[in-house]
């Protein structure tokens, strides 16, 4: 039985008759193959990833498992359509906290059409992509049974400035993300730190990007995922995964500076939280009336 995913935080969504991903009960995530270059690019990427023995196993684990393609009933009622069959990264989660961070100061590439470049450039300038080398595309952070998730609206996230991004990265690992103006970062050590923590995983990915010249990942996201209950009990099991390969190009022997730069910047922000878990953001210093 196919259904709309419960914990999708960004991207095209299968709501209101729109085309978007679906999930089943057996742990698969069905992403519609977009019927333009984006679909063929993403399929080509997953296919070459499966066959390319230059990609080390400890890097492969950062990508969802790819099970091929399948014709399934599309969410927008257009009948059987080809979908990528991917590992559902949320299938072993109950109340996952998830953040989608789109990496790179530049989400466009020179070969794209002028109209597409202008559209991307506008978004890159209006968000933190250009200034920080990454932007938050979507997020949810679980607070409690009573209050549920902190899940800001897409419009609000699109308006995040540098301080908002800092605050969101802190709230993401706080016990009280909904209500707090001053996040306690109580889960920062468990989620971000440690040998299996998010920082260590980002560092491992960075090491690969310092060398790999196989692919250039434009507009690709790092997903950060953890389960609060496990984290509160001291079992981190935080994961990072890469998603969205609709704009991956061949690297042609050149380092992906755009992705690498964004990754370094994200690492710096995460490390800064670990070094200063109680640091106030600029907003915290403002009177209540000026915080909005
Ligand atoms: O169509 P839009 O304007 O909603 O843009 C999509 C993005 O939405 P947003 O930047 O949040 O507005 C959307 O971004 P998110 O995944 O929501 O961060 C994707 O980048 C999507 O790209 P593609 O399907 O990978 O090509 C983007 O689609 P394209 O720009 O490729 O059409
Ligand atoms: N394999 C997956 N398993 C579970 N959720 C996923 C998976 N891939 C993507 N998602 C969810 O869908 C969102 C959008 O994915 P993405 O591939 O970027 O789609 P789009 O191309 O529409 O932007 C992600 O932010 C995440 O919440």
């Amino acid at each position: 039985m196919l259904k709309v995913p419960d914990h999708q935080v960004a991207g095209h969504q299968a709501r209101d008759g729109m085309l978007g991903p679906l999930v089943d009960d057996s742990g698969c995530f069905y992403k519609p193959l977009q019927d333009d270059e984006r679909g063929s690019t993403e399929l080509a990427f997953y296919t070459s990833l499966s066959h390319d023995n230059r990609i080390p196993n400890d890097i492969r684990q950062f990508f969802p498992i790819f099970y091929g393609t399948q014709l399934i009933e599309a969410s927008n009622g257009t009948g059987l359509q080809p979908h990528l069959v991917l590992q559902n990264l949320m299938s072993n989660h109950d109340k996952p906290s998830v953040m989608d961070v789109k990496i790179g100061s530049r989400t466009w590439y020179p070969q794209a059409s002028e109209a597409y470049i202008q559209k991307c450039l506008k978004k890159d300038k209006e968000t933190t992509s250009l200034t920080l080398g990454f932007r938050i595309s979507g997020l949810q952070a679980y607070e409690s049974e009573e209050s549920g998730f902190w899940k800001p609206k897409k419009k609000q996230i699109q308006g995040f400035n540098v301080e908002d991004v800092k605050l969101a990265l802190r709230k993401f690992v706080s016990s009280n993300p909904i209500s707090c103006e001053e996040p306690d970062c109580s889960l920062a050590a468990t989620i971000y730190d440690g040998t299996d923590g998010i920082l260590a995983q980002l560092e491992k990915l960075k090491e690969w990007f310092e060398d790999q010249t196989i692919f250039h990942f434009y507009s690709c996201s790092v997903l950060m995922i953890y389960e609060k209950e496990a984290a509160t009990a001291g079992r981190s099991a935080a994961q990072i995964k890469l998603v969205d390969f609709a704009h991956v190009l061949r690297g042609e022997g050149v380092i992906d500076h755009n992705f690498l730069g964004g990754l370094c910047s994200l690492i710096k922000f995460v490390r800064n939280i670990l070094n200063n878990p109680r640091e106030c953001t600029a907003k915290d210093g403002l009177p209540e009336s000026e915080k909005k």
Side-chain angles (χ1 to χ4, degrees):
M1 174 68 178
L2 294 171
K3 57 172 192 153
V4 175
D6 285 330
H7 302 296
Q8 188 177 343
V9 296
H12 304 97
Q13 306 209 358
R15 279 189 278 105
D16 310 324
M18 305 291 280
L19 185 62
L22 297 168
V23 291
D24 66 12
D25 294 329
S26 69
C28 289
F29 182 93
Y30 299 84
K31 180 172 174 177
L33 261 186
Q34 290 162 302
D35 60 3
D36 52 19
E37 209 178 295
R38 290 177 292 175
S40 52
T41 302
E42 191 154 35
L43 175 57
F45 171 75
Y46 272 114
T47 308
S48 65
L49 183 71
S50 319
H51 296 110
D52 198 320
N53 54 20
R54 290 171 297 176
I55 297 153
N57 283 338
D58 61 343
I59 295 301
R60 228 170 252 287
Q61 55 149 357
F62 291 126
F63 297 87
I65 301 168
F66 173 56
Y67 300 109
T69 59
Q70 201 176 312
L71 286 175
I72 61 159
E73 290 288 337
S75 62
N76 61 352
T78 53
L80 289 177
Q81 301 292 343
H83 288 65
L84 296 166
V85 188
L86 303 172
Q87 170 193 13
N88 179 3
L89 301 170
M90 304 301 147
S91 66
N92 293 326
H93 287 274
D94 186 25
K95 310 259 176 10
S97 294
V98 186
M99 187 182 285
D100 179 315
V101 186
K102 195 181 288 253
I103 307 291
S105 61
R106 195 146 78 63
T107 56
W108 56 274
Y109 39 96
Q111 298 88 328
S113 71
E114 188 53 32
Y116 185 77
I117 292 176
Q118 289 310 322
K119 176 179 153 179
C120 292
L121 194 53
K122 183 166 183 292
K123 286 196 239 179
D124 295 347
K125 281 182 185 159
E126 287 170 354
T127 64
T128 60
S129 290
L130 216 56
T131 41
L132 298 184
F134 68 88
R135 68 176 179 254
I136 297 177
S137 282
L139 76 96
Q140 64 176 32
Y142 183 67
E143 184 165 295
S144 66
E145 196 66 41
E146 301 74 52
S147 41
F149 288 92
W150 175 51
K151 190 167 184 173
K153 296 257 179 294
K154 182 171 175 164
K155 273 268 160 284
Q156 189 187 345
I157 293 178
Q158 283 171 334
F160 275 4
N161 61 23
V162 175
E163 292 306 322
D164 297 323
V165 166
K166 282 188 193 167
L167 188 60
L169 284 166
R170 302 173 84 82
K171 283 187 172 197
F172 187 62
V173 291
S174 290
S175 61
N176 51 349
I178 298 176
S179 46
C180 69
E181 282 300 334
E182 271 189 64
D184 59 19
C185 294
S186 61
L187 302 172
T190 317
I191 301 305
Y192 286 152
D193 210 0
T195 48
D196 296 329
I198 280 178
L199 185 59
Q201 294 177 56
L202 290 171
E203 295 274 14
K204 188 189 275 186
L205 194 59
K206 180 185 146 219
E207 241 175 70
W208 184 60
F209 271 89
E210 281 166 350
D211 280 331
Q212 80 84 17
T213 58
I214 311 167
F215 303 113
H216 283 186
F217 293 85
Y218 289 98
S219 218
C220 166
S221 292
V222 166
L223 277 190
M224 304 196 274
I225 310 160
Y226 77 90
E227 189 77 28
K228 185 175 184 183
E229 196 180 76
T232 312
R235 305 188 310 271
S236 162
Q239 287 184 317
I240 64 160
K241 294 282 178 185
L242 292 172
V243 296
D244 203 354
F245 310 107
H247 306 282
V248 172
L249 304 187
R250 291 256 146 224
E252 312 287 2
V254 177
I255 294 283
D256 187 352
H257 300 284
N258 183 55
F259 193 97
L260 179 58
L263 201 52
C264 290
S265 174
L266 177 61
I267 286 171
K268 191 195 84 177
F269 278 82
V270 171
R271 187 177 292 123
N272 193 37
I273 293 172
L274 288 170
N275 291 341
N276 310 286
R278 304 297 308 177
E279 183 197 85
C280 287
T281 62
K283 249 188 187 173
D284 296 331
L286 292 174
E288 281 301 318
S289 57
E290 291 173 31
K291 282 181 180 169
K292 299 284 169 248

